[in-house]
């Protein structure tokens, strides 16, 4: 639906890294760490899946030669 819209500049991680943490309580900071660790796990799983797909494509079609 919104796939044709341009992406906002920067990425979510960059925006999070620039956010002040001063107003967060210790509990809120720990909750945030938990959410970020879960997101890192999700990204790692997606990366591994993409790498497996790439390996399968390389095995089927041959790897691309370096430019």
């Amino acid at each position: 639906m919104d796939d044709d819209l341009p992406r906002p500049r920067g990425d979510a991680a960059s925006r999070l890294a620039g956010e002040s943490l001063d107003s967060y309580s210790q509990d809120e900071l720990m909750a945030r760490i938990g959410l970020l660790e879960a997101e890192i796990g999700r990204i790692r799983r997606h990366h591994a899946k993409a790498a497996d797909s790439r390996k399968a494509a390389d095995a089927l079609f041959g790897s691309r030669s370096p430019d």
Side-chain angles (χ1 to χ4, degrees):
M1 321 237 172
D2 293 334
D3 292 340
D4 58 339
L5 297 177
R7 285 184 170 187
R9 287 259 191 237
D11 61 17
S14 295
R15 289 190 303 274
L16 282 173
E19 182 182 357
S20 172
L21 301 174
D22 294 339
S23 64
Y24 288 90
S25 70
Q26 288 182 334
D27 289 340
E28 290 170 326
L29 290 169
M30 291 308 296
R32 184 177 175 135
I33 288 169
L35 289 171
L36 292 169
E37 287 174 339
E39 177 63 2
I40 289 168
R42 185 179 77 91
I43 293 167
R44 288 186 190 278
R45 289 187 298 276
H46 184 77
H47 180 269
K49 183 179 172 183
D52 289 345
S53 294
R54 177 63 184 264
K55 281 187 223 173
D58 286 347
L60 184 59
F61 300 109
S63 62
R64 293 189 296 177
S65 59
D67 294 1

